[in-house]
Amino acid sequence: DAGVTQSPTHLIKTRGQQVTLRCSPKSGHDTVSWYQQALGQGPQFIFQYYEEEERQRGNFPDRFSGHQFPNYSSELNVNALLLGDSALYLCASSHLLDEQFFGPGTRLTVL
Amino acid sequence: GNSVTQMEGPVTLSEEAFLTINCTYTATGYPSLFWYVQYPGEGLQLLLKATKADDKGSNKGFEATYRKETTSFHLEKGSVQVSDSAVYFCALSDRGGSEKLVFGKGMKLTVNP
């Protein structure tokens, strides 16, 4: 049973560019959440998708957007990248009220 | 809003030492509480959880008790191993575990042989 998978593993972009990160949830899970983890900090909630709609959103600007597909996989898009967007981006999946399972993350570096 | 405050490290212990990592929270209602662990180069793994007051979560020798009166969820292990070296995060969510998680800043633990 594959767990949560994310791609790519690492990514380097320059300021002002746009980036798309991808996540496939654990089998049987229908809810996907995204978190940003800056170096040395705890993860911060970005948003959560369920039934292809954004269900909850954290305190992140509109430059951060997402999408969930019918197969429950998800994308995180970040526009107009800033140096401060450099972080580990974690995807987590869940089903109903069960706990979230995390993927290994995508390390984004903005130069 | 909800928040989690946890003991910050880094902390270095010798193998077989006793471990306590303090965690307190602020929340409206009755949150669920979690401890997640992050090994080097990996994502987060759920270590244990408790969903109501006085519940004790346990896993791999780690324990934590949901104390509503002190709004705390301290993590303990009686005898740490080198393999326990990791970063430990305390977290809460409003309902079950599928709602958004609010994390503490994490504590890096290194266990030496």
Side-chain angles (χ1 to χ4, degrees), chain B residues 30-95:
Chain B
Y30 303 94
S32 294
L33 301 174
F34 307 84
W35 277 100
Y36 279 85
V37 59
Q38 188 172 36
Y39 297 103
E42 299 184 14
L44 295 167
Q45 297 178 25
L46 178 65
L47 182 58
L48 53 83
K49 67 177 182 180
T51 57
K52 61 183 187 296
D54 300 325
D55 267 2
K56 177 186 282 188
S58 61
N59 185 28
K60 298 180 181 179
F62 291 88
E63 292 184 341
T65 301
Y66 190 143
R67 300 287 188 200
K68 190 173 188 301
E69 63 276 12
T70 56
T71 62
S72 65
F73 193 55
H74 304 321
L75 182 69
E76 295 182 338
K77 187 174 185 182
S79 176
V80 294
Q81 306 300 312
V82 172
S83 58
D84 294 326
S85 298
V87 181
Y88 292 82
F89 294 94
C90 185
L92 67 80
S93 73
D94 281 337
R95 189 164 64 108

Side-chain angles (χ1 to χ4, degrees), chain A residues 3-47:
Chain A
V4 179
T5 60
Q6 293 185 242
S7 64
T9 305
H10 296 88
L11 204 51
I12 299 175
K13 293 286 188 179
T14 56
R15 280 177 297 174
Q17 284 189 311
Q18 178 265 343
V19 68
T20 297
L21 311 181
R22 295 177 176 83
C23 171
S24 291
K26 183 177 167 63
S27 178
H29 286 185
D30 53 13
T31 302
V32 173
S33 302
W34 287 92
Y35 295 82
Q36 181 195 65
Q37 185 180 13
L39 197 62
Q41 300 295 314
Q44 298 288 318
F45 176 77
I46 302 175
F47 42 54

Side-chain angles (χ1 to χ4, degrees), chain A residues 52-73:
Chain A
E52 301 181 51
E53 290 192 359
E54 184 181 287
R55 186 163 74 172
Q56 280 188 297
R57 188 177 181 92
N59 189 26
F60 278 80
D62 292 345
R63 298 187 297 109
F64 289 77
S65 63
H67 188 76
Q68 186 179 35
F69 299 94
N71 67 352
Y72 308 119
S73 66

Side-chain angles (χ1 to χ4, degrees), chain A residues 35 37 40-43 45 48 56 88 94 96-100 102-104, chain B residues 34 36 38 42-44 46 49 89 95-101 103-105:
Chain A
Y35 295 82
Q37 185 180 13
Q41 300 295 314
F45 176 77
Q48 184 180 81
Q56 280 188 297
L88 180 68
S94 58
L96 297 177
L97 296 180
D98 293 337
E99 67 263 21
Q100 296 176 43
F102 283 80
Chain B
F34 307 84
Y36 279 85
Q38 188 172 36
E42 299 184 14
L44 295 167
L46 178 65
K49 67 177 182 180
F89 294 94
R95 189 164 64 108
S98 62
E99 298 288 312
K100 74 171 187 179
L101 289 161
F103 287 88
K105 291 186 176 181

